[in-house]
Amino acid sequence: MPDKEIDCYSCPNQDCMIRKHIRDDQAIPFLAKRNTLYVRKGQSFIMEGAPVHGLYFIRDGKVKVAKIGINGKEQIVRFGGPGEIIGHRGFGAGQFYQINAETIENSILCGFSNDVMKHMLQALPSLTYDMMIFYAEELNRSETKVKKFAQMTVREKVIDALLYVHRKFGQDEYLNVQLSRKEIADFAGTTEEQVIRVISGLKKEGLLKTKGRMLAITDMKLLSSEIAVHNYFLNS
DNA sequence: GCATTAATTGGTC
DNA sequence: GACCAATTAATGC
């Protein structure tokens, strides 16, 4: 795929906010200022404390966004796939990133500098509107997550995390993303051992199946019914 | 195949 | 329910 010309016109991500506006004359000059980044699996491309350089959109691949604790423990804030935005919290606000972003697959990222974004947002009200909606939803998700952390049991948190991953990346035979048990734990807010125990319990109950590291949800209805009591209506 | 890394299990606080 | 240690399974080279 490196041979092919990488530009917004050839981009398959219909739901990318930038991609949506490529027919707008106002957008055209900015599209040329896009940077393409090839990031291989496991590389950090945003580091906590580093100066904000801009915004990234995922063209291809998958990433995780996390905060690092003092004892080396990380809290994964969210995962991202094609079409999604990474680094938006740094934009406009502070000078330094407060999160870490790392690829979990070989990825292609589209970068726009702060300066380009600023001018593009001023020129394209509908893009600005989309961004505003996005920020609002993000805040909602974030608030919901706080509540979950406080009120859910470990088992529920793990189930919630699995459902989130399923929603985000989908599942064929198995979930379409390869996450370690540790990464699931870092997202759910518990430990690797607890995740393993919950998974093995769910397996015995016939709600999940595994093959090596691969995971699959086999009874979506029952699984989601377990956290239905928390009745959240958002994809958090 | 072997060496490395991840998953799992059991036990302690 | 987290942390630690020992064992077992999976994967990379």
Side-chain angles (χ1 to χ4, degrees):
Chain A
M1 69 179 95
D3 309 337
K4 283 231 179 102
E5 174 108 30
I6 299 284
D7 63 25
C8 288
Y9 299 97
S10 67
C11 182
N13 302 319
Q14 299 296 334
D15 48 352
C16 171
M17 279 186 205
I18 303 291
R19 170 74 177 73
K20 276 183 189 165
H21 294 88
I22 55 173
R23 298 290 163 215
D24 190 322
D25 290 344
Q26 298 293 319
I28 292 169
F30 299 110
L31 299 181
K33 306 217 169 165
R34 194 187 52 84
N35 304 308
T36 308
L37 284 91
Y38 295 86
V39 189
R40 63 176 197 281
K41 180 178 178 173
Q43 294 280 297
S44 287
F45 57 95
I46 292 177
M47 274 160 295
E48 204 165 338
V52 171
H53 15 291
L55 232 51
Y56 298 98
F57 294 82
I58 305 171
R59 161 99 182 201
D60 190 38
K62 298 181 178 74
V63 308
K64 63 177 178 185
V65 179
K67 277 188 172 287
I68 308 293
I70 305 164
N71 35 9
K73 254 172 272 302
E74 62 176 12
Q75 175 61 52
I76 296 178
V77 178
R78 68 187 185 108
F79 292 101
E84 293 199 69
I85 307 179
I86 303 292
H88 54 279
R89 280 189 204 79
F91 179 71
Q95 297 172 276
F96 304 101
Y97 286 115
Q98 291 148 71
I99 46 105
N100 246 295
E102 180 183 327
T103 52
I104 53 178
E105 280 181 7
N106 292 338
S107 302
I108 302 175
L109 306 177
C110 301
F112 290 92
S113 72
N114 280 335
D115 195 52
V116 172
M117 278 310 295
K118 184 177 156 190
H119 290 109
M120 189 160 29
L121 289 169
Q122 283 168 351
L124 293 161
S126 71
L127 173 62
T128 309
Y129 178 78
D130 285 349
M131 288 288 290
M132 197 199 73
I133 297 296
F134 171 75
Y135 278 109
E137 284 174 356
E138 272 291 293
L139 187 56
N140 210 336
R141 268 188 269 272
S142 165
E143 289 169 349
T144 304
K145 197 161 175 73
V146 171
K147 195 173 158 193
K148 284 179 177 177
F149 266 55
Q151 299 184 346
M152 283 186 167
T153 65
V154 165
R155 181 178 161 106
E156 288 168 337
K157 286 195 277 192
V158 173
I159 291 174
D160 189 59
L162 293 174
L163 291 172
Y164 167 85
V165 170
H166 184 275
R167 266 199 310 276
K168 175 139 294 199
F169 298 117
Q171 169 179 303
D172 292 321
E173 171 103 45
Y174 291 93
L175 287 173
N176 294 324
V177 61
Q178 207 262 287
L179 294 174
S180 68
R181 307 287 134 115
K182 174 108 185 356
E183 283 168 325
I184 296 170
D186 289 342
F187 180 75
T190 180
T191 61
E192 183 179 9
E193 293 91 332
Q194 294 288 354
V195 168
I196 286 164
R197 284 173 175 126
V198 171
I199 286 176
S200 102
L202 292 171
K203 228 167 91 178
K204 280 186 191 123
E205 296 165 42
L207 305 186
L208 287 184
K209 65 172 177 174
T210 62
K211 184 177 181 184
R213 286 169 195 171
M214 305 302 283
L215 258 175
I217 293 171
T218 52
D219 194 334
M220 180 61 95
K221 238 185 140 180
L222 262 180
L223 201 62
S224 33
S225 74
E226 277 212 40
I227 58 165
V229 62
H230 295 275
N231 69 3
Y232 298 109
F233 52 90
L234 258 180
N235 289 350
S236 53

